[in-house]
Amino acid sequence: MKAFKLAFRNLIGAGLRTWLNVGILAFILILMIFQYGIYDGWNRQAVTDMIAWEIGGGQIWQENYDPYDPFTLEDSHATIPASMQGEIEKGNLAPVLVTQATIYPDGRMQSILLKGINPDQQVSDIPTAILSGDYTEIPAVIGNIMAKNAKLKEGDLVTVRWRDVDGTFDATEALIVGVFKADVPAVTARQMWIPIERLREMTQMSGQATLLITDQEYIWYGSEEGWVMRDHDFLLKEMSEMIRMKKIGGSFIYVILLLLAMLAVFDTQVLSIFRRQKEIGTYMAMGMTRSQVVRLFTVEGAMHSILAVIVGTVPGIPLLMWINSKGIGMPGDYEEFGMAIAERIYPAYSAGLILSVMLIIIITTTIVSFLPSRKISKMNPVEAIKGKLQ
Amino acid sequence: MSIMKKTQIISAGLIVGLLISGGGLMNAQYPSGDEVMDRMDRNMSSKNRVLTSKMVIHGARSSRTIESKTWAEGDQKSYSEYLSPAREAGTKMLKLEDALWIYSPSTDRTIQISGHMLRQSVMGSDLSYEDMMDDASYADNYKAEITGEETLRETKCWILQLEATTEDVTYQVRKIWMDEEKYIPLKEELYAKSGKLLKKTELYDFKRVQGRWFPGRMVFKDMLKNGKGTEFIIDEIAFDTDIPEHIFTKASLR
Amino acid sequence: MIRFLLKGLLRDRQRSLLPIIVVAAGVSLTVLMVCYLAGVLGDFIDFSAKFSTGHVKIMTHAYAENSDQVPTDLALTDVNSLLDEVQADYPDMDWVLRIQFGGLLDVPDENGETRSQGTVMGISIDMLTPGSKEPERLTLEQILVHGEIPDSPGEILISDDLANNLEVAPGDTVTLMSSTMYGSMAFYNFIIAGTVRFGTVVMDKGAIIADISDVQTALDMYDASSEILGYLPDGYWDAEQAEIIKMGFNSKFSDPEDEFSPVMSLLNEEGLLAGYLEMIDSMSFIMVFVFVLAMSIVLWNTGLIGGLRRYGEVGIRLAIGEEKGHIYRSMIWESLLIGIVGSAFGTIVGLLFSYWLQEVGIDISSMTQGATMMMPGSFHAKIIPSAYYIGFIPGLIASSAGTMLSGIGIYKRQTAVLFKELET
């Protein structure tokens, strides 16, 4: 404890030099948290977007549904069980009916998916509200990727051909009432969103759905014959794996950042031991053992990081919070980009992240402070007190 | 190739289908759909037919002609073999009710197209396998009514409208322009439920074969898509021949 | 004077060696950071270049218009002569043919009739020509699950999941049913050489890799290919270089009036990648900026402390009558020298280390369940042009600025005070 007090007094006594180092460490601390946060936030954005646009709190699939196999669509629709009706009315579930269709923009042919959804649903961010209204044509909202590939824009009419439940062809015009921009290709590529009741009429699949998206706040505990709950673990598996990989790849960056912080401490420590030889000699002359002096200097060095943590929180917390609320704008136009990546990135900081960054900084600072201090143990106190270089 | 099959089958289907269709509503001005269908029936009815035909496909770059020979019985059995060009020669197709088999000599394989595959588009083309197999059993699925008269290619025609009576038909409405004298169809249009025109077939160069009028050339066109359509030329046709029953078995594919 | 200062620096290790080491360490960290970031963020681009877009891609105008539908009927014809020409025009680049196709993969029973089947998407690459870089480019060796990589005509790789679904194994014969570029039905028998794991659900559901010459035969695409991909000499994406090549090619070969004439497009014009590239640029800009800023502060601090600790010396020099301005200038010259030497040294070390990371990489495959095409299982750095100079910002400018700031103290302090400091 004595060592702590002494170390603290020494540090404060050193004035400007200490505060410079503490400032740097604090700055690096904030940076590390910020950079970790932005990397994490960037990665997490994909998941956040998928949840907001596509999967909500999870999806309940008709048991035959396989999003990667359009063949299954013919068999993967069923009447929504009565037990779910109440939840749909409460807004906890949003049924989606999916069917294959062909569109003919400018006489070219493209196969797409028609997805029926309630215009007044709140579960997904897809702007379905504009679908409600009295339209002669089928009102449709499409995502940015679809708009680009099919060269469609708001107000355009496009011929859509589909088959009803019995396989009879039907075709009519769809009116693009809106184009939305999202970073989730699963809702923006090769598909048109239309009112579910309309699609049910078109396909004669009254009261049916292919899947139901659950609200983020809602957990479906029910079980129904023929329906399967697909939770986040299932739906985000591929994405999570990718993020995990990116994190491993990114962790090397933190090693570099950490080295940067260590460089600062090491530099200071070497200098201060060099400059304070007389002081070291005096300590020894006063009866401190070498290891006590080493400990004193190590604690001094490490205390830089503790002070940095304290100093860092003052500008750090409001700064990080501010960045977090504003997000970081990414210049450029990502309209066509297929992965779930946003224009604004909101860094993600967790308490765990902040604490572990602090802990890592304190531990490594201690180690780095200790290394040059070992030199003290080899010092001759008499020479040291004279200030002779050793 | 797919279109070729389609034309063959559609041609067969159209003809056979029209022959046996009936049950139209009476309309004071015109003869009943029944009656017209019946006349066409008498013109074209046959137990089976064997035809040699050419199909001209207008592709993005060039047009190609494929020659084939087809044996068909009723609307459920059909067997074709491709004669030229060399790459296609020897490819055989057998259709029995809802199943379709294709034999390719180069790989010595018989591949079955069934279930979901039938509804998928053929190699990204506009036609599904089901389209190709469209046997259009008109009598079972449509009721006929004459809705008007029109002069088409200097020929007076009845406009015969066929409305689906069953649910599992591919096209809800078919319109046929029927020669009032010869009782042969000159044009057929296929409509979606919404009334949108999806496909059009025009028939030309009618010849008299074994006492029946038969088109020598047909042009198919997908009305939603850009393109020149596909031409189908019948070089030879014979009715009521002796087709050995083993032709319509998988054994004949190899 | 510089020689004098240099001597001083060389003789006083405390004054020279330590600051140089610190500056060099800081600079090499900065260089490493820049290169690693470029490598890691560029992984996705790299993957896409290797897998589907190339650095540059030649297609027909018509194919390019509808490329999302992989219309083989709009493929390039006379590709061999075109390939010869681009190879002659750009001999340093690697040019390869690629055909993407779709179809039905059919597995026979003992009678040669359908036992099982599935729709597949296929890519065809040159797997058989000795010296072809394509197998390595698609990391076939790493993603192989069972069997072997095709080494003779008629062999394919199929996704492992598909193999399980179709109940086939390496050595089995399967038939591809597709359509030729002229719209006819196409059939071709393949022997499954091996199974692979792609790492994306879509491709693992049903993707196959076939040799380009097989696919040309199968789809009646003799002397035709849907795409010609070009890879830049050093294997890394360089927008400026690619742009020049594109301009040259298009003015020579491309005719906008003829929809079947070839047209070259760039990696950064590919729909999905255009935004990502820009974003990587801005993302790495932010990260590098922040890092350089931090490193600058550290080295500035080094300079500052270096200056502070020499107040005693400054005191003596003032005492023996040296002019304040002269001392100040000499200190700045000194720090500039240290900055230059340290930065140069640091940049070399950083580049060497980055080069090692670029060539060897960090292998993390032990942390994942085997490598896939999407997740290669190792991370690599990438040496980018800015790596050659960026280290000088913190190394030279910042450390000198630190010295300048601390040197201001010289003017403030009285000679007497400095003497007093000297005594303690």
Side-chain angles (χ1 to χ4, degrees):
Chain A
M1 198 58 220
K2 204 173 81 185
F4 272 92
K5 267 187 193 158
L6 188 57
F8 184 71
R9 240 180 268 146
N10 281 342
L11 270 185
I12 302 297
L16 182 64
R17 260 181 295 132
T18 300
W19 293 116
L20 270 174
N21 277 317
V22 167
I24 284 190
L25 277 179
F27 185 72
I28 289 172
L29 188 72
I30 294 171
L31 270 187
M32 276 181 77
I33 293 172
F34 168 71
Q35 222 172 43
Y36 208 111
I38 199 166
Y39 211 82
D40 220 23
W42 187 25
N43 287 334
R44 206 180 290 183
Q45 194 78 45
V47 171
T48 316
D49 276 347
M50 273 177 80
I51 290 171
W53 294 91
E54 182 193 355
I55 61 174
Q59 293 182 337
I60 307 168
W61 289 3
Q62 203 279 336
E63 59 183 351
N64 297 326
Y65 176 61
D66 178 352
Y68 298 105
D69 185 358
F71 287 10
T72 61
L73 287 175
E74 272 171 52
D75 298 326
S76 55
H77 53 87
T79 304
I80 300 170
S83 69
M84 297 182 193
Q85 291 296 347
E87 299 302 330
I88 293 172
E89 274 150 39
K90 275 187 247 165
N92 289 329
L93 294 174
V96 177
L97 182 63
V98 188
T99 185
Q100 276 190 292
T102 309
I103 57 165
Y104 296 84
D106 298 327
R108 288 172 296 116
M109 204 180 76
Q110 266 181 33
S111 71
I112 60 153
L113 296 178
L114 276 182
K115 292 189 175 174
I117 189 161
N118 271 334
D120 51 5
Q121 63 83 28
Q122 300 290 330
V123 170
S124 162
D125 282 358
I126 297 166
T128 49
I130 47 176
L131 291 174
S132 53
D134 226 0
Y135 294 103
T136 359
E137 300 90 358
I138 307 169
V141 283
I142 56 173
N144 44 321
I145 297 180
M146 166 88 185
K148 161 135 178 115
N149 286 347
K151 300 186 177 69
L152 288 172
K153 57 182 190 305
E154 198 181 318
D156 282 356
L157 283 172
V158 63
T159 306
V160 188
R161 197 196 64 185
W162 70 96
R163 288 163 179 267
D164 70 12
V165 72
D166 300 307
T168 306
F169 271 129
D170 202 349
T172 186
E173 302 296 316
L175 174 68
I176 308 298
V177 294
V179 176
F180 65 93
K181 197 172 159 195
D183 304 299
V184 186
V187 300
T188 58
R190 288 173 175 249
Q191 56 194 288
M192 286 167 83
W193 293 86
I194 66 172
I196 192 166
E197 276 313 322
R198 197 89 179 228
L199 186 58
R200 284 168 173 164
E201 277 168 37
M202 285 158 60
T203 53
Q204 298 179 340
M205 297 179 190
S206 174
Q208 302 201 10
T210 304
L211 59 98
L212 296 103
I213 310 172
T214 69
D215 190 81
Q216 286 177 52
E217 313 288 311
Y218 173 76
I219 299 164
W220 185 66
Y221 291 110
S223 80
E224 284 289 345
E225 184 80 10
W227 296 84
V228 198
M229 180 69 204
R230 300 295 189 194
D231 58 8
H232 280 180
D233 287 347
F234 179 90
L235 297 167
L236 295 169
K237 192 167 171 284
E238 198 174 345
M239 188 60 89
S240 308
E241 184 63 16
M242 198 132 119
I243 288 175
R244 206 174 71 87
M245 288 288 298
K246 274 199 191 170
K247 265 197 180 153
I248 298 172
S251 55
F252 187 72
I253 293 171
Y254 311 121
V255 173
I256 301 179
L257 271 180
L258 209 60
L259 285 173
L260 167 79
M262 292 318 106
L263 188 66
V265 176
F266 187 80
D267 185 25
T268 315
Q269 201 67 3
V270 169
L271 274 171
S272 77
I273 287 163
F274 169 76
R275 265 179 59 81
R276 290 163 63 191
Q277 288 198 56
K278 280 186 194 169
E279 189 185 327
I280 293 167
T282 315
Y283 286 136
M284 288 180 187
M286 280 163 55
M288 277 172 87
T289 63
R290 283 194 174 90
S291 61
Q292 275 176 321
V293 181
V294 170
R295 202 178 307 144
L296 175 72
F297 273 75
T298 307
V299 170
E300 259 190 63
M303 207 171 264
H304 278 113
S305 61
I306 294 165
L307 284 175
V309 166
I310 298 163
V311 170
T313 49
V314 178
I317 288 176
L319 182 73
L320 294 181
M321 275 171 67
W322 177 75
I323 293 170
N324 208 16
S325 67
K326 288 274 174 189
I328 293 173
M330 292 280 151
D333 178 22
Y334 307 110
E335 240 166 61
E336 314 118 26
F337 184 53
M339 277 187 99
I341 282 170
E343 276 171 73
R344 282 200 158 266
I345 286 175
Y346 295 90
Y349 317 110
S350 60
L353 161 75
I354 293 173
L355 283 177
S356 53
V357 169
M358 285 177 174
L359 209 63
I360 287 171
I361 289 236
I362 292 173
I363 290 170
T364 41
T365 312
T366 311
I367 295 168
V368 167
S369 306
F370 169 71
L371 292 177
S373 306
R374 279 180 315 174
K375 198 180 167 193
I376 295 169
S377 61
K378 293 185 204 116
M379 279 182 180
N380 180 330
V382 182
E383 298 288 308
I385 211 160
K386 283 186 187 159
K388 291 216 169 136
L389 292 176
Q390 292 183 25
Chain B
M1 196 87 106
S2 56
I3 301 171
M4 172 168 191
K5 181 65 193 172
K6 175 187 164 61
T7 48
Q8 289 167 348
I9 293 165
I10 284 188
S11 61
L14 177 72
I15 293 150
V16 175
L18 288 175
L19 305 181
I20 37 182
S21 291
L25 295 169
M26 287 296 284
N27 186 314
Q29 276 176 283
Y30 306 118
S32 77
D34 266 342
E35 199 182 314
V36 174
M37 296 301 281
D38 197 46
R39 287 293 298 273
M40 206 168 74
D41 186 356
R42 268 179 282 158
N43 176 36
M44 293 192 168
S45 140
S46 68
K47 190 174 103 221
N48 61 41
R49 61 223 159 263
V50 178
L51 59 139
T52 316
S53 57
K54 277 197 209 80
M55 180 146 84
V56 184
I57 305 165
H58 300 285
R61 292 190 139 111
S62 58
S63 299
R64 301 166 30 92
T65 305
I66 299 168
E67 203 179 354
S68 69
K69 189 168 183 182
T70 301
W71 292 258
E73 191 179 295
D75 59 357
Q76 300 283 313
K77 292 177 179 176
S78 141
Y79 172 83
S80 338
E81 182 170 346
Y82 298 110
L83 308 175
S84 73
R87 200 185 160 88
E88 272 77 35
T91 303
K92 294 161 193 167
M93 265 188 172
L94 173 66
K95 194 213 97 178
L96 297 175
E97 293 174 26
D98 288 337
L100 175 69
W101 290 270
I102 303 171
Y103 172 78
S104 111
S106 62
T107 58
D108 190 26
R109 284 291 322 278
T110 304
I111 290 172
Q112 184 177 6
I113 309 292
S114 58
H116 293 302
M117 278 303 298
L118 287 170
R119 279 197 179 177
Q120 296 307 310
S121 90
V122 180
M123 315 311 166
S125 84
D126 188 31
L127 289 159
S128 68
Y129 292 94
E130 196 185 51
D131 260 0
M132 289 166 38
M133 298 174 61
D134 185 0
D135 45 33
S137 171
Y138 288 16
D140 299 341
N141 297 322
Y142 293 93
K143 65 175 173 12
E145 187 190 357
I146 293 175
T147 55
E149 252 181 318
E150 210 178 276
T151 303
L152 182 72
R153 302 199 292 261
E154 293 159 16
T155 312
K156 279 192 100 181
C157 291
W158 302 118
I159 300 172
L160 197 61
Q161 181 148 344
L162 306 178
E163 284 267 1
T165 51
T166 53
E167 307 229 289
D168 54 348
V169 292
T170 312
Y171 301 99
Q172 181 77 10
V173 175
R174 292 163 181 263
K175 262 193 198 173
I176 297 168
W177 278 253
M178 177 101 67
D179 185 327
E180 286 182 18
E181 281 173 24
K182 295 186 188 134
Y183 286 87
I184 52 175
L186 297 186
K187 183 164 93 169
E188 183 186 31
E189 288 181 347
L190 305 177
Y191 291 87
K193 269 193 197 168
S194 64
K196 194 165 185 74
L197 176 58
L198 297 176
K199 282 172 189 166
K200 189 171 83 179
T201 311
E202 285 177 292
L203 303 89
Y204 302 92
D205 305 340
F206 279 84
K207 287 178 280 200
R208 201 124 167 104
V209 181
Q210 289 172 263
R212 299 169 180 88
W213 286 105
F214 210 87
R217 188 166 66 93
M218 294 182 261
V219 177
F220 295 88
K221 173 93 178 73
D222 182 332
M223 300 308 286
L224 297 179
K225 219 168 100 179
N226 293 337
K228 289 183 218 153
T230 301
E231 238 176 302
F232 187 68
I233 298 155
I234 299 172
D235 290 330
E236 257 176 64
I237 186 160
F239 297 98
D240 299 331
T241 54
D242 276 334
I243 302 178
E245 198 44 40
H246 73 80
I247 283 267
F248 301 115
T249 63
K250 279 201 270 174
S252 64
L253 285 170
R254 279 174 178 261
Chain C
M1 185 175 88
I2 288 180
R3 195 189 290 172
F4 170 76
L5 289 174
L6 211 57
K7 249 184 201 165
L9 282 175
L10 287 175
R11 285 182 189 160
D12 180 358
R13 280 203 310 134
Q14 286 291 347
R15 225 164 85 196
S16 61
L17 193 65
L18 189 73
I20 286 177
I21 287 174
V22 171
V23 168
V27 168
S28 56
L29 279 181
T30 310
V31 172
L32 189 63
M33 172 85 177
V34 168
C35 293
Y36 186 74
L37 209 56
V40 168
L41 293 182
D43 257 6
F44 182 71
I45 293 297
D46 204 37
F47 167 77
S48 139
K50 285 173 173 171
F51 184 70
S52 67
T53 59
H55 291 141
V56 300
K57 187 195 243 180
I58 305 170
M59 300 171 276
T60 63
H61 283 278
Y63 189 96
E65 271 287 300
N66 300 292
S67 59
D68 60 325
Q69 306 182 38
V70 288
T72 41
D73 53 329
L74 306 176
L76 294 160
T77 49
D78 292 327
V79 279
N80 291 336
S81 65
L82 183 61
L83 200 59
D84 288 344
E85 280 198 70
V86 289
Q87 257 155 4
D89 287 356
Y90 308 99
D92 297 339
M93 289 182 68
D94 192 27
W95 298 95
V96 297
L97 301 183
R98 294 271 181 99
I99 298 171
Q100 290 184 52
F101 58 94
L104 186 73
L105 201 67
D106 190 280
V107 183
D109 60 11
E110 61 275 16
N111 300 320
E113 290 180 23
T114 300
R115 174 165 67 92
S116 58
Q117 59 182 209
T119 46
V120 292
M121 54 175 285
I123 61 168
S124 47
I125 60 169
D126 182 0
M127 288 195 281
L128 302 179
T129 308
S132 166
K133 291 181 190 154
E134 294 279 87
E136 191 197 342
R137 197 166 274 140
L138 292 195
T139 64
L140 297 185
E141 210 58 76
Q142 287 94 307
I143 63 173
L144 193 70
V145 181
H146 296 295
E148 278 157 18
I149 291 173
D151 55 7
S152 45
E155 293 186 334
I156 51 166
L157 293 169
I158 79 171
S159 86
D160 199 50
D161 290 356
L162 181 68
N164 291 335
N165 286 341
L166 298 181
E167 294 171 11
V168 287
D172 290 352
T173 301
V174 290
T175 307
L176 174 75
M177 178 180 167
S178 183
S179 89
T180 70
M181 74 176 283
Y182 305 102
S184 300
M185 272 190 259
F187 301 89
Y188 202 78
N189 280 343
F190 286 107
I191 294 167
I192 298 172
T195 65
V196 293
R197 190 184 295 117
F198 291 97
T200 60
V201 181
V202 187
M203 295 192 67
D204 281 328
K205 275 267 169 188
I208 65 175
I209 302 175
D211 185 65
I212 187 95
S213 52
D214 281 331
V215 172
Q216 284 177 322
T217 312
L219 305 185
D220 201 4
M221 294 178 78
Y222 299 98
D223 203 10
S225 177
S226 28
E227 295 162 357
I228 298 176
L229 303 190
Y231 293 92
L232 295 171
D234 56 359
Y236 286 105
W237 168 243
D238 177 351
E240 282 172 36
Q241 202 185 346
E243 184 66 36
I244 295 167
I245 292 164
K246 177 189 156 186
M247 304 267 270
F249 178 90
N250 284 347
S251 65
K252 183 170 171 188
F253 295 100
S254 183
D255 172 12
E257 298 298 309
D258 174 7
E259 61 169 347
F260 293 112
S261 72
V263 61
M264 184 182 279
S265 62
L266 303 182
L267 170 78
N268 60 358
E269 293 161 354
E270 287 285 330
L272 298 184
L273 293 176
Y276 188 76
L277 266 169
E278 278 180 52
M279 193 166 60
I280 282 182
D281 280 351
S282 44
M283 186 78 191
S284 51
F285 177 78
I286 293 174
M287 292 183 82
V288 166
F289 177 80
V290 161
F291 188 84
V292 168
L293 195 70
M295 187 54 80
S296 299
I297 292 179
V298 170
L299 297 185
W300 174 74
N301 190 34
T302 307
L304 195 61
I305 289 174
L308 288 180
R309 82 181 180 89
R310 289 171 62 191
Y311 274 9
E313 176 200 331
V314 170
I316 298 173
R317 283 165 74 176
L318 285 174
I320 57 177
E322 203 175 336
E323 218 182 302
K324 278 182 177 171
H326 188 262
I327 297 173
Y328 187 56
R329 277 195 299 277
S330 74
M331 278 180 71
I332 287 169
W333 276 115
E334 259 182 53
S335 75
L336 279 177
L337 279 173
I338 288 169
I340 289 169
V341 174
S343 301
F345 189 62
T347 302
I348 291 167
V349 171
L351 283 175
L352 282 176
F353 200 58
S354 302
Y355 180 76
W356 178 76
L357 270 183
Q358 174 175 305
E359 299 303 312
V360 180
I362 303 172
D363 187 8
I364 56 143
S365 50
S366 55
M367 296 187 214
T368 60
Q369 311 106 337
T372 63
M373 200 182 279
M374 272 301 266
M375 296 171 196
S378 62
F379 292 104
H380 294 263
K382 179 190 160 190
I383 294 178
I384 53 171
S386 62
Y388 291 96
Y389 59 80
I390 196 142
F392 285 83
I393 298 173
L396 182 58
I397 301 174
S399 66
S400 310
T403 312
M404 281 179 207
L405 197 73
S406 66
I408 294 171
I410 295 167
Y411 290 97
K412 281 194 194 145
R413 300 232 170 169
Q414 298 301 312
T415 318
V417 181
L418 289 169
F419 261 118
K420 226 178 170 184
E421 276 198 358
L422 194 65
E423 280 160 18
T424 53

